[in-house]
Amino acid sequence: MTQSIVVQVGQCGNQVGCRFWDLALREHANVNKMGEYDEALGSFFRNVDSRNRACGVGGRIQHLKARAVLVDMEEGVVNEILQGPLGEVFDSTQLLTDVAVGHMTYGSCYWEQIVDTLRKAAEHCDCLQCFFLIHSMGGGTGSGLGTRVLSLLEEEFPEVCRIVTSVYPSAEDDVITSPYNSVLAMKELTEHADCVIPVENQSLVDIVSKIKHMSDGGMPGRVIKRDSTIISGEGGLSGAEKPFDAMNNIVANLLLNITSSARFEGSLNMDLNEIAMNLVPFPRLHYLVPSLTPLYTLADVSIPTRRLDQMFSDAFSKDHQLFRCDPKNSLYLACALMVRGNVQVSDLRRNIERLRPSLPFVSWNQEGWKTGLCSVPPVGHSHALLALANNTCVKSRFMELRESFTKLYRKKAHLHHYLNVEGMEQRSFSEALNSLSSLIEEYDHLDATKGKLMRDAARLSIAR
Amino acid sequence: MSVVTVQLGQCGNQVAHQLFDTVCSDAQDGQRKTYCTASTERFFRRSSQGDLVARAVLIDMEPKVINHCMNEAAHSGRWSYGDTSHFSQKQGSGNNWANGYCVHGPRHKEVVEELVRREVERCDRLAGLMAMMSVAGGTGSGVGTFVTQGLRDIYPKSFILNHLTWPYETGEVIVQNYNSMLTLAHLYQLSDAILVHENDTVHRICSQLLNIKHISFSDINKLIAHQLGSVLQPALTADSHGGYSRNPLGELVCALACHPEYKLLSVCTIPQMPSASIAYSTFSWPALLKHLRQMLISNSKMEEGIDWQARPPAASERSRSLTGANTSLANLLILRGKDVYSAETGGFEDPGLYTPWLSSGEALNLWKSPVPFNKYEKSATVVSNSRALLRPLDHMVRKAWNMFASRAYIHQYVKFGISEEDFLDSFTSLEQVISSYSQLC
């Protein structure tokens, strides 16, 4: 089996990452009752004895160490993690904290140290398949250092797939320079990631408040389990819940589902390197909108098939998207359905046939579906679905971002903070803006083909 | 003579495993000693303990499927795979033909070829090689093509047959048309003949004729193995002088692939029914052959819902398009079971079925065996080199070409060393094949 390494950068990245490890342990504990270190665990955890020597697959679990690299500029969050109940799954060699303003300074100073740590983590893998980078777009560390680490990964490990989970700030973000940070980071993401899974703070807030509202309000006729596993960490190591935990748990669940096929068996495996291969037709257009179901109705399985089909429909509805957009009314370039739990190939085929007519696909990819079936469902569910859509709907959010960037940039507001940093020039700003504009343009071109009847391309003809 | 099978990728390994199982249980069923000996020599060797070991090499880029096949075979109690005749890696080809063909294939060339060579050296007399794979994914198609190319270099005079499984039209892999197109275009230069099974067709047979409610991949593989077995099991041919033929692959290629521009073979078998119904059914040769002939003419792979209107043109008619009939370059009719010598096969000699430039005597070959195959008292199979695959091939090339016109996904292939020119070359050679088959009338 192959292994993956999670690189978590900045406060947001580390908090989400921390939830991921907690829930991943909970998930494996639920499946692996014998306490044996199996290949599934090996994909994201190492097993070491008390002297920190690696133990092979097949033995008993001794000390599990996460295949993770934690990067932050201040020690606060990381220290908190280390002192918390999850502290044991990380060891000091995986941490980088004494770093000082983002992409330029930190990157250059601690370059070698970061490379060293990444290499060490990679050496522990016998077949490293994928890096999962988690960071936020708004703050300085996540966006600046996070994307610097990304280009570093490309340089050092060109053959290893890079999947980035980026948390986009809400429109009214308290960091005033967040449009700058986001647009500068977007250029790096567009150029150096294999795929980016954008997640939006506002969508997470909406989902959490809707779930809380439903479980508190107790709407008649609906049964919602109070301990909705999507937002709660119950069963995990951490006891008391912190303010962002509910939101971070949703992102952690997203990561659990993406990696499920790499961790568990299934009748239709979807390898991690198949995600980009199937979903990214053009190298820069690699933003894959995630939607997660079930979110709101859980564990109540009175009408099985109806519930199952509902799950597929929900994945395409607006309020199940983790990014603020409306894929149904835009154009699909490709779509992946990653199903977990007790679902058959015939269920998949039926639902794709049912949903296909209502979803606009680009003319040359009318059958652009990729499917995966993993037999192990998330804890507390009988089945779950993660849809990843390469869809032009991301464009609208990117245009908003560009607008708030230009609002600041026109006045050159706060620009001096950035230009003070060595290596940072005003040119970087215009380049980042151009990169974003051309990305939006590429989506525009594809959107323009929507609804038009495209004739088949003229075929090569054979002279007789 | 013996056939060495090379099973590649998830699909190739699963189908080939099922083929060995079907062939083995068929050969050991009943008391036909010569048939059993001939079949066993063809597909199996004896280990030092005297157990049957498949003449096969298992290749995949990830270990799960191969481990599963080896275990299943070992637990069957009838046969097994050789302990060291498999090769696997940790990481799959990620649905990318270029990754399989340009990276994994060359990297493991020597190990794989050594495995095949060892298996070939264990044959007293080699009839040929059969490579089994799917065309949709990355390993079967990409590594499979590369391995076939290597085998062609090492065994320039041996017969090489490729068995391909074509994906569902709305498949589980988005780039399947690219992968299929690249595979076919390359194999067309290497292989002696290409035998094709389409998942869609097999799926329909499972649901309509075998009445299977929840069709699994194992049902599909069983059906493919049944059809393949009915072709490859021992039979008496015109040249075999009363004994079982010696070289199934050679005679198959001679009978069907008489022109290098035409290499695509499809298979129809009759009857196919749920195993519980077999005991309550009676079969007669005239009825079976009448249906099979109409399936061939109307180009349907099932005896249900055949178009009985389609007919070959009479000698006076020039144009075929009106009659809607399939045209064959060559057909191989294989009959197995009771009273096989009384079967009247004149219907398949109708010149209207064939091209004018080949006499029907040359175009039709007949194999017979009095031994019932796989529980069916009588069964008939036709392997046909005809326009049957023209339509699915044309669909595949059309979809791939539309995608290529937008240059979608091309960068994924360029990354591993397959350029736009390579794509164009492959498109050109397949358009040539399509054109040749369209002119077949």
Side-chain angles (χ1 to χ4, degrees):
Chain A
M1 260 211 195
T2 59
Q3 296 86 34
S4 299
I5 295 173
V6 176
V7 183
Q8 35 196 76
V9 185
Q11 177 174 1
C12 171
N14 275 299
Q15 283 171 344
V16 170
C18 191
R19 297 314 307 145
F20 168 74
W21 294 112
D22 195 7
L23 298 188
L25 281 173
R26 179 179 75 174
E27 203 167 274
H28 281 285
N30 205 43
V31 178
N32 185 340
K33 306 272 190 213
M34 304 296 287
E36 185 190 302
Y37 180 68
D38 54 7
E39 296 233 323
L41 260 172
S43 57
F44 280 84
F45 292 94
R46 294 197 302 133
N47 189 25
V48 296
D49 62 15
S50 47
R51 291 187 195 159
N52 209 16
R53 285 177 308 200
C55 312
V57 166
R60 287 203 57 76
I61 294 176
Q62 305 206 21
H63 301 277
L64 289 180
K65 295 287 177 194
R67 298 188 191 276
V69 174
L70 289 68
V71 185
D72 205 351
M73 292 188 320
E74 37 187 327
E75 301 195 324
V77 176
V78 173
N79 276 347
E80 202 180 306
I81 293 173
L82 285 185
Q83 281 150 19
L86 267 176
E88 216 208 314
V89 298
F90 305 105
D91 62 46
S92 51
T93 58
Q94 297 167 247
L95 312 174
L96 286 160
T97 51
D98 49 346
V99 204
V101 189
H103 197 79
M104 284 301 167
T105 316
Y106 302 122
S108 310
C109 287
Y110 295 93
W111 193 265
E112 277 173 26
Q113 204 186 333
I114 295 179
V115 172
D116 252 15
T117 313
L118 289 170
R119 278 209 195 116
K120 244 178 238 147
E123 275 164 18
H124 289 309
C125 305
D126 62 351
C127 185
L128 174 58
Q129 181 167 38
C130 197
F131 283 108
F132 285 91
L133 179 70
I134 315 172
H135 74 130
S136 72
M137 299 292 281
T141 315
S143 68
L145 193 54
T147 53
R148 189 65 187 255
V149 170
L150 178 65
S151 56
L152 202 127
L153 289 175
E154 188 185 34
E155 224 164 88
E156 293 289 320
F157 309 93
E159 289 184 3
V160 181
C161 177
R162 296 171 302 279
I163 299 180
V164 185
T165 307
S166 304
V167 181
Y168 280 70
S170 316
E172 298 88 29
D173 193 56
D174 46 358
V175 180
I176 196 141
T177 52
S178 92
Y180 282 160
N181 293 336
S182 304
V183 172
L184 288 167
M186 280 282 293
K187 174 167 183 279
E188 304 297 315
L189 291 182
T190 304
E191 284 172 7
H192 302 298
D194 284 312
C195 21
V196 176
I197 299 167
V199 172
E200 189 152 357
N201 251 330
Q202 193 56 50
S203 310
L204 300 178
V205 171
D206 292 347
I207 291 169
V208 170
S209 66
K210 193 166 170 191
I211 295 176
K212 289 223 165 109
H213 175 75
M214 287 168 107
S215 55
D216 293 344
M219 279 168 72
R222 289 213 186 169
V223 187
I224 293 156
K225 287 218 300 202
R226 198 163 264 277
D227 58 335
S228 160
T229 44
I230 292 284
I231 58 166
S232 105
E234 200 167 301
L237 292 169
S238 333
E241 306 247 323
K242 285 184 242 29
F244 291 109
D245 272 2
M247 286 160 66
N248 292 337
N249 276 337
I250 298 178
V251 186
N253 268 294
L254 159 74
L255 285 165
L256 285 178
N257 285 358
I258 290 183
T259 57
S260 64
S261 202
R263 291 180 294 132
F264 301 113
E265 291 216 336
S267 59
L268 199 61
N269 275 325
M270 182 164 168
D271 228 355
L272 291 169
N273 56 359
E274 291 171 17
I275 296 177
M277 181 66 203
N278 285 281
L279 294 181
V280 183
F282 305 109
R284 288 160 54 87
L285 307 188
H286 54 227
Y287 293 85
L288 311 176
V289 178
S291 64
L292 210 53
T293 63
L295 276 178
Y296 304 113
T297 47
L298 291 162
D300 161 29
V301 278
S302 43
I303 337 159
T305 34
R306 163 91 183 110
R307 173 70 25 96
L308 188 64
D309 287 7
Q310 188 61 41
M311 176 176 88
F312 283 91
S313 307
D314 283 348
F316 296 90
S317 81
K318 226 170 151 179
D319 53 358
H320 286 76
Q321 310 298 324
L322 305 190
F323 193 66
R324 197 154 46 84
C325 61
D326 187 9
K328 242 180 162 169
N329 289 314
S330 300
L331 188 67
Y332 278 90
L333 306 185
C335 183
L337 299 178
M338 305 172 82
V339 188
R340 301 182 61 180
N342 183 23
V343 179
Q344 304 302 319
V345 187
S346 47
D347 298 320
L348 261 177
R349 301 206 145 261
R350 183 182 66 242
N351 278 292
I352 289 178
E353 285 312 312
R354 185 172 62 85
L355 292 164
R356 223 152 69 104
S358 62
L359 303 170
F361 269 75
V362 69
S363 63
W364 41 262
N365 212 6
Q366 292 287 318
E367 283 138 10
W369 297 87
K370 167 76 186 169
T371 51
L373 285 175
C374 171
S375 53
V376 178
V379 177
H381 293 247
S382 58
H383 38 66
L385 166 65
L386 167 70
L388 292 177
N390 193 342
N391 190 297
T392 57
C393 66
V394 287
K395 187 182 72 177
S396 60
R397 184 68 185 87
F398 291 169
M399 285 162 75
E400 282 174 36
L401 196 60
R402 181 173 61 178
E403 205 174 304
S404 44
F405 176 92
T406 18
K407 232 183 236 166
L408 287 178
Y409 190 56
R410 215 180 285 133
K411 304 239 165 73
K412 304 282 183 282
H414 306 286
L415 210 56
H416 59 284
H417 292 308
Y418 290 81
L419 300 178
N420 280 342
V421 177
E422 196 188 336
M424 202 64 192
E425 293 171 39
Q426 197 160 339
R427 209 185 51 202
S428 319
F429 281 77
S430 52
E431 279 173 5
L433 184 61
N434 286 342
S435 161
L436 181 59
S437 289
S438 76
L439 183 69
I440 292 171
E441 211 171 293
E442 284 175 57
Y443 282 115
D444 268 337
H445 281 310
L446 288 163
D447 258 341
T449 67
K450 189 186 164 189
K452 285 190 198 151
L453 191 65
M454 300 299 275
R455 250 185 292 152
D456 284 343
R459 296 260 291 266
L460 297 171
S461 58
I462 298 295
R464 291 183 181 178
Chain B
M1 290 176 101
S2 312
V3 177
V4 171
T5 303
V6 184
Q7 20 190 102
L8 295 133
Q10 171 159 24
C11 172
N13 274 293
Q14 287 172 344
V15 174
H17 169 256
Q18 188 58 52
L19 174 65
F20 283 112
D21 210 59
T22 302
V23 160
C24 182
S25 73
D26 173 59
Q28 292 177 353
D29 188 37
Q31 305 292 319
R32 314 282 181 156
K33 202 149 177 267
T34 39
Y35 178 80
C36 179
T37 314
S39 164
T40 307
E41 190 210 352
R42 199 165 273 188
F43 295 103
F44 298 93
R45 55 184 165 87
R46 296 269 174 197
S47 70
S48 45
Q49 283 83 39
D51 301 324
L52 292 184
V53 178
R55 298 185 188 275
V57 175
L58 302 83
I59 297 161
D60 203 355
M61 289 303 117
E62 57 110 45
K64 280 181 264 182
V65 178
I66 286 190
N67 290 342
H68 188 76
C69 286
M70 305 263 302
N71 284 337
E72 286 265 293
H75 285 124
S76 73
R78 296 192 308 262
W79 65 282
S80 64
Y81 281 110
D83 295 331
T84 53
S85 31
H86 60 94
F87 175 78
S88 66
Q89 288 287 298
K90 297 202 155 151
Q91 187 172 352
S93 305
N95 294 161
N96 190 334
W97 188 88
N99 191 7
Y101 182 80
C102 303
V103 181
H104 287 307
R107 192 178 285 164
H108 309 301
K109 180 178 160 75
E110 273 163 29
V111 193
V112 168
E113 287 175 357
E114 180 57 30
L115 286 179
V116 178
R117 190 177 298 126
R118 282 211 321 248
E119 209 53 58
V120 166
E121 278 165 8
R122 289 191 179 114
C123 300
D124 288 339
R125 290 162 303 173
L126 178 70
L129 301 153
M130 180 161 72
M132 302 181 72
M133 61 229 221
S134 80
V135 291
T139 302
S141 67
V143 178
T145 305
F146 187 86
V147 168
T148 308
Q149 191 174 303
L151 295 179
R152 180 43 89 210
D153 290 344
I154 305 176
Y155 307 102
K157 302 255 170 63
S158 296
F159 293 106
I160 299 182
L161 175 75
N162 282 87
H163 176 264
L164 305 184
T165 306
W166 278 16
Y168 290 100
E169 278 219 33
T170 41
E172 58 270 35
V173 176
I174 292 179
V175 288
Q176 62 186 24
N177 294 315
Y178 278 166
N179 291 339
S180 313
M181 195 266 313
L182 290 164
T183 308
L184 266 180
H186 282 78
L187 287 183
Y188 225 82
Q189 321 295 329
L190 302 166
S191 190
D192 290 304
I194 298 168
L195 190 64
V196 175
H197 273 102
E198 300 162 81
N199 267 347
D200 281 308
T201 312
V202 178
H203 195 101
R204 269 205 306 281
I205 296 176
C206 284
S207 107
Q208 292 176 27
L209 297 183
L210 306 186
N211 286 330
I212 303 171
K213 288 279 174 306
H214 298 282
I215 300 165
S216 67
F217 278 108
S218 131
D219 298 320
I220 295 205
N221 297 339
K222 270 189 192 135
L223 192 100
I224 296 178
H226 173 77
Q227 296 202 342
L228 267 179
S230 76
V231 176
L232 295 172
Q233 281 288 52
L236 306 139
T237 69
D239 304 327
S240 64
H241 309 293
Y244 284 113
S245 84
R246 303 172 23 135
N247 188 341
L249 294 190
E251 291 188 37
L252 183 87
V253 169
C254 284
L256 290 164
C258 49
H259 190 293
E261 200 47 52
Y262 302 92
K263 290 184 178 177
L264 293 175
L265 311 181
S266 61
V267 189
C268 301
T269 296
I270 191 172
Q272 294 175 127
M273 56 176 62
S275 54
S277 317
I278 296 177
Y280 306 102
S281 310
T282 50
F283 309 105
S284 78
W285 284 117
L288 286 179
L289 292 174
K290 188 179 171 203
H291 275 81
L292 188 64
R293 178 173 181 272
Q294 196 59 28
M295 282 157 69
L296 175 69
I297 293 170
S298 64
N299 188 16
S300 76
K301 294 283 185 295
M302 279 191 284
E303 62 261 42
E304 230 173 64
I306 315 177
D307 173 13
W308 286 98
Q309 302 302 315
R311 59 183 175 82
S316 56
E317 286 172 297
R318 284 261 173 93
S319 158
R320 279 169 178 278
S321 48
L322 298 173
T323 62
N326 182 18
T327 313
S328 305
L329 180 69
N331 289 322
L332 169 61
L333 180 63
I334 304 159
L335 310 178
R336 297 178 184 276
K338 218 172 136 193
D339 307 327
V340 71
Y341 300 108
S342 69
E344 176 52 54
T345 56
F348 288 85
E349 286 163 27
D350 182 349
L353 292 173
Y354 302 97
T355 60
W357 47 271
L358 211 60
S359 80
S360 57
E362 293 167 68
L364 176 70
N365 274 272
L366 206 57
W367 295 359
K368 288 178 181 177
S369 158
V371 180
F373 174 68
N374 209 10
K375 311 271 193 304
Y376 288 95
E377 180 199 60
K378 298 186 180 92
S379 67
T381 297
V382 65
V383 189
S384 169
N385 187 348
S386 69
R387 292 162 59 109
L389 289 164
L390 180 58
R391 213 211 302 226
L393 178 66
D394 189 61
H395 278 208
M396 181 190 88
V397 173
R398 177 175 55 81
K399 287 183 203 161
W401 182 250
N402 279 342
M403 206 179 246
F404 184 73
S406 308
R407 295 298 183 271
Y409 295 102
I410 299 297
H411 71 282
Q412 311 267 22
Y413 292 82
V414 172
K415 195 161 74 183
F416 292 110
I418 292 292
S419 65
E420 281 189 24
E421 265 87 275
D422 295 325
F423 270 88
L424 278 174
D425 288 347
S426 292
F427 275 118
T428 314
S429 59
L430 286 191
E431 292 287 4
Q432 179 66 53
V433 173
I434 290 173
S435 154
S436 302
Y437 272 104
S438 334
Q439 287 175 52
L440 202 65
C441 57

